[in-house]
Amino acid sequence: MARPLRIIIEGQTNDGKTFRPSDWSERLSDLLAEFGRDQRIQYSPLLRPVIRNGVRSIAMDDRIQAHHPAIYQQIMQFAEANKLKIVYEGEGPVMHANAA
C-alpha cells in the first residue's frame, strides 16, 4: 500500500450531516498559519482549508506528522471525535477512512 501524500478531512460527518461551525476548517488551519508582510493570513502548505466537492474541508500534507506531531494528533482526534470523513490521497488508489 502506498504511503498517503495528502490527508483530507471533510466537513461532513459519516452520516452525511454538514459539520458546524462553518469556519471550522479555517480555525484548524490557523494552527500553522502566519501573517504575511501584507498583514493577511497565509496558510501553511502542510495544513490549509479547502473546498472539496462543495464541502469545507482541510488538506494536510503527510509531512505534518513528522514536523508537527502534536498538531497532527490534535487534528486527527478532532476528526475522529466529530465523526468527520477522512480521505487519504496519495500514490496508490484513494482510500477512505471511516467508510462504514
Side-chain angles (χ1 to χ4, degrees):
M1 178 167 56
R3 184 168 175 247
L5 300 176
R6 203 160 84 139
I7 303 165
I8 307 292
I9 299 175
E10 297 181 352
Q12 193 171 51
T13 62
N14 292 324
D15 59 2
K17 295 180 182 173
T18 300
F19 184 72
R20 299 280 183 228
S22 61
D23 67 345
W24 73 273
S25 59
E26 290 87 356
R27 290 183 187 192
L28 283 180
S29 296
D30 283 347
L31 292 170
L32 291 180
E34 298 177 350
F35 283 99
R37 290 182 186 208
D38 61 358
Q39 298 304 309
R40 297 183 67 169
I41 195 137
Q42 294 180 347
Y43 293 108
S44 167
L46 298 178
L47 178 64
R48 61 182 45 246
V50 296
I51 303 291
R52 180 181 164 90
N53 299 324
V55 177
R56 291 185 180 271
S57 306
I58 60 171
M60 288 193 299
D61 185 298
D62 71 342
R63 294 174 296 170
I64 194 173
Q65 199 169 2
H67 296 287
H68 304 282
I71 291 174
Y72 172 80
Q73 278 297 331
Q74 179 182 354
I75 292 170
M76 295 305 286
Q77 288 172 355
F78 174 87
E80 290 173 13
N82 290 290
K83 298 179 174 70
L84 299 178
K85 291 182 181 179
I86 302 171
V87 179
Y88 295 88
E89 294 179 339
E91 297 171 321
V94 173
M95 300 173 288
H96 293 269
N98 306 337

